[in-house]
């Protein structure tokens, strides 16, 4: 590991020394509902299920957005007869994957980035290939995989300008860590240039896999019930919202009520456990509501529906004419993925803070499928314009769907780029059998 730099050496030493504190952190997170108490050992590298005795491809995505992005790639790899392991780091992503992973695909929680935890994980699962999604650059994971000669590829790779500025301050560390990847398949030309400048090897542009993810599913019976309850009402959804945004969505709803008396506003928080908190906020503003997490339905008297469940956004996008994408009216988050509602017939709204998906939002804005709003007042105005003029909303929704379709194709390009490594796996499997 010559040339790795003092920063990486210090990180490795510190995370090793702090292993007891890492165990304490997991217990604290379990008490806060951020860890699955029945699978806590996985976060320390212990397996939760038995490993099949076959070569295995390992894919990792941090949370919901990244793991959903990987689903088409998982399906393609499984169709080739490969054993597939998917890891993620959040309870919400595990819940979603339990519903959406193909039968036979294994899910495990990724261990915390502690040297012994990562050694334990890699020594048990022995992946023949690792595909790491977007920007999950965990030093101990990369170092331990390199020591075991596990080929890694950074797929759907992104490197934002903000992240680039941070990594650029530690050039030896960034160059060494990125050299642990056999190749990097970037979402965009800008991502590719920043990764190459930091020292990533064999960088190419494959496009954004998110455009090739199928629209989120919806239970047909539930959709029919909800559609019957909301027929004739103007409906919009604020999806994947964060603290500080629900207040603005509620303010927009109150501003819209005099003009759209039958309005139904749906709030689907990014973290469903916040449903009760949002319920209290709405009640403090005198808003009649129903909360899905409590088993309630949006009857006619409900003005607000709190969709505090997992893996049901497909329902609410299908019910809505307009979708506001959360994480964009508050700084730090950077805006959530607008592709899913675009595929399901929604006109799109977002705030100014979209740095995590800047190029995607720019494409939707340029195509006429999305508009930027600055605050609650702007949100109310934009929702009113589209809900009071359904033809205009449909036109914007068609434009959003067209932009989404035009930017697809990353899945095929990614598979093509991975072909030499997949062939190497297949040859190794035959040699082992012989």
């Amino acid at each position: 590991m010559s040339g790795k730099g003092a920063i990486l050496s210090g990180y490795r030493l510190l995370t090793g020394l702090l292993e007891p504190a890492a165990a304490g952190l997991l217990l604290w997170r379990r008490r806060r509902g951020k860890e699955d108490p029945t699978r806590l050992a996985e976060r320390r590298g212990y397996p939760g299920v038995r490993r099949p005795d076959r070569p295995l491809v390992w894919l990792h995505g941090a949370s919901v957005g990244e793991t959903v992005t990987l689903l088409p790639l998982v399906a393609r790899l499984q169709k080739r007869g490969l054993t597939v392991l998917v890891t993620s780091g959040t309870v919400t992503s595990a819940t979603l994957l339990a519903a959406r992973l193909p039968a036979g695909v294994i899910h495990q929680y990724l261990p915390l980035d502690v040297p012994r935890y990562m050694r334990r994980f890699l020594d048990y699962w022995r992946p023949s290939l690792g595909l790491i999604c977007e920007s999950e650059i965990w030093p101990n994971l990369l170092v331990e995989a390199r020591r075991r000669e596990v080929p890694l590829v950074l797929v759907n790779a992104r490197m934002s300008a903000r992240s680039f500025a941070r990594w650029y301050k530690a050039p030896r560390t960034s160059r060494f860590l990125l050299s642990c990847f056999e190749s990097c398949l970037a979402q965009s030309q800008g991502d590719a240039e920043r990764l190459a400048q930091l020292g990533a090897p064999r960088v190419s542009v494959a496009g954004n896999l998110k455009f090739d993810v199928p629209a989120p599913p919806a239970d047909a019976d539930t959709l029919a019930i909800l559609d019957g309850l909301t027929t004739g009402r103007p409906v919009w959804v604020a999806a994947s919202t964060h603290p500080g945004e629900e207040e603005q969505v509620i303010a927009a709803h109150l501003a819209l009520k005099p003009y759209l008396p039958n309005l139904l506003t749906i709030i689907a928080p990014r973290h469903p456990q916040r449903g009760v908190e949002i319920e209290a906020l709405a009640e403090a503003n005198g808003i009649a509501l129903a909360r899905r997490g409590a088993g309630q339905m949006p009857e006619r008297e409900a003005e607000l529906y709190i969709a505090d469940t997992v893996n049901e956004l497909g329902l609410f996008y299908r019910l809505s004419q307009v979708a506001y994408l959360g994480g964009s009216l508050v700084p730090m988050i950077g805006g959530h993925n607008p592709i899913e509602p675009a595929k399901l017939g929604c006109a799109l709204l977002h705030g100014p803070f979209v740095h995590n998906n800047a190029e995607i939002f720019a494409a939707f804005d340029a195509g006429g499928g999305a508009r930027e709003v600055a605050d609650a007042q702007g949100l109310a105005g934009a929702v009113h314009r589209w809900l009071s003029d359904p033809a205009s909303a449909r036109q914007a929704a068609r434009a959003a769907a067209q932009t989404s379709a035009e930017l697809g194709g990353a899945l095929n390009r990614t598979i093509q780029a991975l072909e030499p490594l997949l062939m190497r796996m297949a040859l190794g499997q035959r040699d082992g059998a012989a």
Side-chain angles (χ1 to χ4, degrees):
M1 286 189 292
S2 60
K4 66 182 179 181
I7 294 175
L8 181 56
S9 297
Y11 176 90
R12 297 263 297 158
L13 177 63
L14 185 62
T15 50
L17 292 173
L18 291 178
E19 183 179 329
L25 173 65
L26 287 173
L27 293 174
W28 177 80
R29 285 176 55 84
R30 184 184 68 178
R31 288 194 296 270
R32 292 174 60 88
K34 294 181 178 293
E35 298 288 347
D36 183 341
T38 67
R39 298 176 62 181
L40 208 60
E42 292 174 31
R43 297 287 270 157
R44 294 187 288 122
Y46 290 106
V49 297
R50 186 174 179 178
R51 185 198 188 281
D53 189 21
R54 296 187 299 275
L56 178 145
V57 181
W58 162 42
L59 299 91
H60 173 67
S63 189
V64 171
E66 295 84 359
T67 50
V68 168
T69 298
L70 290 171
L71 288 174
L73 191 53
V74 168
R76 283 283 190 95
L77 293 171
Q78 192 188 41
K79 283 182 179 178
R80 296 174 71 122
L82 296 168
T83 301
V84 179
L85 166 70
V86 178
T87 59
S88 63
T90 65
V91 173
T92 308
S93 63
T95 303
L96 182 144
L97 289 171
R100 296 183 65 176
L101 278 178
V105 174
I106 302 164
H107 174 264
Q108 294 282 275
Y109 284 105
L110 186 76
L112 297 185
D113 198 44
V114 171
R116 188 159 64 156
Y117 295 177
M118 283 300 175
R119 288 195 293 268
R120 188 179 287 148
F121 172 83
L122 290 168
D123 286 343
Y124 182 81
W125 289 104
R126 305 186 313 279
S128 300
L129 173 63
L131 307 178
I132 310 299
C133 188
E134 295 202 3
S135 54
E136 284 287 276
I137 303 174
W138 291 106
N140 289 317
L141 181 158
L142 296 180
V143 169
E144 298 299 340
R146 182 177 181 134
R147 284 180 170 174
R148 288 155 181 78
E149 299 183 345
V150 177
L152 298 179
V153 178
L154 196 61
V155 298
N156 215 46
R158 65 184 178 92
M159 178 61 63
S160 69
R162 290 186 181 190
S163 295
F164 173 79
R166 290 194 295 269
W167 282 110
Y168 193 73
K169 295 175 183 177
R172 291 181 67 191
T173 300
S174 60
R175 182 171 293 275
F176 175 81
L177 291 175
L178 289 170
S179 75
C180 294
F181 292 101
E182 292 240 346
S183 62
C184 295
L185 307 179
Q187 294 183 17
S188 70
Q189 188 62 39
D191 291 309
E193 290 171 359
R194 288 186 286 270
L195 285 163
Q197 195 170 343
L198 290 173
R202 292 175 290 281
V203 180
S204 60
V205 179
N208 196 324
L209 285 169
K210 290 178 180 176
F211 287 102
D212 293 326
V213 176
D219 179 77
D221 292 338
T222 306
L223 179 61
I225 292 168
L226 289 171
D227 189 52
L229 289 170
T230 58
T231 296
R233 300 183 69 176
V235 181
W236 70 293
V237 60
S240 297
T241 58
H242 290 261
E245 287 187 298
E246 289 92 6
E247 292 88 343
Q248 297 187 69
V249 172
I250 286 172
H253 173 85
L254 292 171
L256 287 164
K257 274 181 62 178
Y259 305 98
L260 299 168
N262 294 321
L263 176 69
L264 177 65
T265 296
I266 301 172
I267 297 180
R270 182 68 170 180
H271 301 107
Q273 64 268 28
R274 296 187 53 250
V276 174
E277 171 190 336
I278 299 166
E279 181 178 29
L281 181 66
E283 288 176 341
N285 283 274
I287 297 174
L289 62 89
R291 185 165 65 83
R292 184 151 182 79
Q296 299 165 351
M297 300 294 273
E299 305 292 346
R300 284 286 162 177
E301 64 273 11
E303 308 168 38
L304 177 69
Y305 196 39
I306 300 172
D308 53 341
T309 52
V310 176
N311 199 33
E312 288 198 316
L313 269 176
L315 279 174
F316 306 113
Y317 288 146
R318 286 173 170 86
L319 292 173
S320 304
Q321 294 93 53
V322 178
Y324 161 73
L325 277 303
S328 63
L329 276 176
V330 290
M332 302 304 292
I333 307 301
H336 291 298
N337 175 16
I339 299 169
E340 291 184 344
K343 289 187 173 186
L344 290 174
C346 294
L348 309 176
L349 296 171
H350 63 87
F353 303 106
V354 293
H355 51 269
N356 273 347
N357 289 291
E359 294 185 2
I360 295 177
F361 279 104
F364 281 117
D365 289 350
R371 294 179 183 176
E372 180 180 318
V373 296
D375 50 26
Q377 182 178 357
L379 182 61
V383 172
H384 180 261
R385 280 193 295 274
W386 270 336
L387 291 186
S388 61
D389 184 0
S392 175
R394 286 194 296 271
Q395 183 178 355
R398 285 194 295 270
Q402 182 176 347
T403 297
S404 179
E406 289 172 352
L407 293 175
L411 177 60
N412 288 336
R413 290 188 289 270
T414 298
I415 289 291
Q416 185 176 6
L418 294 174
E419 201 62 53
L421 291 169
L422 296 173
M423 185 65 68
R424 191 191 307 174
M425 274 188 67
L427 291 172
Q429 185 173 4
R430 280 202 293 270
D431 291 343

CSV table of all heavy atoms in Angstrom, one decimal, residues 217-227 315:
chain,number,residue,atom,x,y,z
A,217,PRO,N,-43.5,-0.3,-8.6
A,217,PRO,CA,-44.8,-1.1,-8.7
A,217,PRO,C,-45.9,-0.5,-7.8
A,217,PRO,O,-45.6,0.3,-6.9
A,217,PRO,CB,-44.4,-2.5,-8.2
A,217,PRO,CG,-43.3,-2.3,-7.3
A,217,PRO,CD,-42.5,-1.1,-7.8
A,218,ALA,N,-47.1,-1.0,-8.0
A,218,ALA,CA,-48.2,-0.6,-7.1
A,218,ALA,C,-49.2,-1.8,-7.1
A,218,ALA,O,-49.5,-2.4,-8.1
A,218,ALA,CB,-48.9,0.6,-7.6
A,219,ASP,N,-49.6,-2.1,-5.9
A,219,ASP,CA,-50.6,-3.2,-5.8
A,219,ASP,C,-51.9,-2.7,-6.5
A,219,ASP,O,-52.5,-1.7,-6.2
A,219,ASP,CB,-50.9,-3.4,-4.3
A,219,ASP,CG,-51.9,-4.5,-4.1
A,219,ASP,OD1,-51.6,-5.7,-4.3
A,219,ASP,OD2,-53.1,-4.1,-3.8
A,220,ALA,N,-52.4,-3.6,-7.4
A,220,ALA,CA,-53.5,-3.2,-8.2
A,220,ALA,C,-54.8,-3.0,-7.4
A,220,ALA,O,-55.6,-2.0,-7.7
A,220,ALA,CB,-53.8,-4.2,-9.3
A,221,ASP,N,-55.1,-3.8,-6.4
A,221,ASP,CA,-56.3,-3.7,-5.6
A,221,ASP,C,-56.2,-2.4,-4.8
A,221,ASP,O,-57.2,-1.7,-4.7
A,221,ASP,CB,-56.4,-4.9,-4.7
A,221,ASP,CG,-56.7,-6.2,-5.5
A,221,ASP,OD1,-57.2,-6.1,-6.6
A,221,ASP,OD2,-56.5,-7.3,-5.0
A,222,THR,N,-55.1,-2.1,-4.2
A,222,THR,CA,-55.0,-0.9,-3.4
A,222,THR,C,-55.1,0.3,-4.2
A,222,THR,O,-55.7,1.3,-3.8
A,222,THR,CB,-53.6,-0.9,-2.6
A,222,THR,OG1,-53.5,-2.1,-1.9
A,222,THR,CG2,-53.5,0.3,-1.7
A,223,LEU,N,-54.5,0.3,-5.4
A,223,LEU,CA,-54.6,1.4,-6.3
A,223,LEU,C,-56.0,1.7,-6.7
A,223,LEU,O,-56.5,2.8,-6.7
A,223,LEU,CB,-53.7,1.2,-7.5
A,223,LEU,CG,-53.7,2.3,-8.6
A,223,LEU,CD1,-53.2,3.6,-8.0
A,223,LEU,CD2,-52.9,1.8,-9.8
A,224,ALA,N,-56.8,0.6,-7.0
A,224,ALA,CA,-58.2,0.8,-7.4
A,224,ALA,C,-59.0,1.4,-6.2
A,224,ALA,O,-59.8,2.3,-6.5
A,224,ALA,CB,-58.8,-0.6,-7.7
A,225,ILE,N,-58.7,1.0,-5.0
A,225,ILE,CA,-59.4,1.6,-3.8
A,225,ILE,C,-59.1,3.1,-3.7
A,225,ILE,O,-60.0,4.0,-3.5
A,225,ILE,CB,-59.1,0.8,-2.6
A,225,ILE,CG1,-59.6,-0.6,-2.6
A,225,ILE,CG2,-59.6,1.6,-1.3
A,225,ILE,CD1,-59.1,-1.5,-1.5
A,226,LEU,N,-57.8,3.4,-3.7
A,226,LEU,CA,-57.4,4.8,-3.6
A,226,LEU,C,-57.8,5.7,-4.7
A,226,LEU,O,-58.2,6.8,-4.5
A,226,LEU,CB,-55.8,4.9,-3.5
A,226,LEU,CG,-55.2,4.3,-2.1
A,226,LEU,CD1,-53.7,4.2,-2.2
A,226,LEU,CD2,-55.7,5.2,-1.0
A,227,ASP,N,-57.8,5.1,-5.9
A,227,ASP,CA,-58.3,5.8,-7.1
A,227,ASP,C,-59.8,6.2,-6.9
A,227,ASP,O,-60.2,7.3,-7.3
A,227,ASP,CB,-58.0,5.0,-8.4
A,227,ASP,CG,-58.3,5.8,-9.6
A,227,ASP,OD1,-57.8,7.0,-9.7
A,227,ASP,OD2,-59.1,5.4,-10.5
A,315,LEU,N,-47.8,3.9,-5.8
A,315,LEU,CA,-49.2,4.2,-5.7
A,315,LEU,C,-49.5,5.7,-5.8
A,315,LEU,O,-50.4,6.1,-6.5
A,315,LEU,CB,-49.7,3.7,-4.3
A,315,LEU,CG,-50.0,2.3,-4.0
A,315,LEU,CD1,-50.3,2.1,-2.5
A,315,LEU,CD2,-51.2,1.8,-4.8
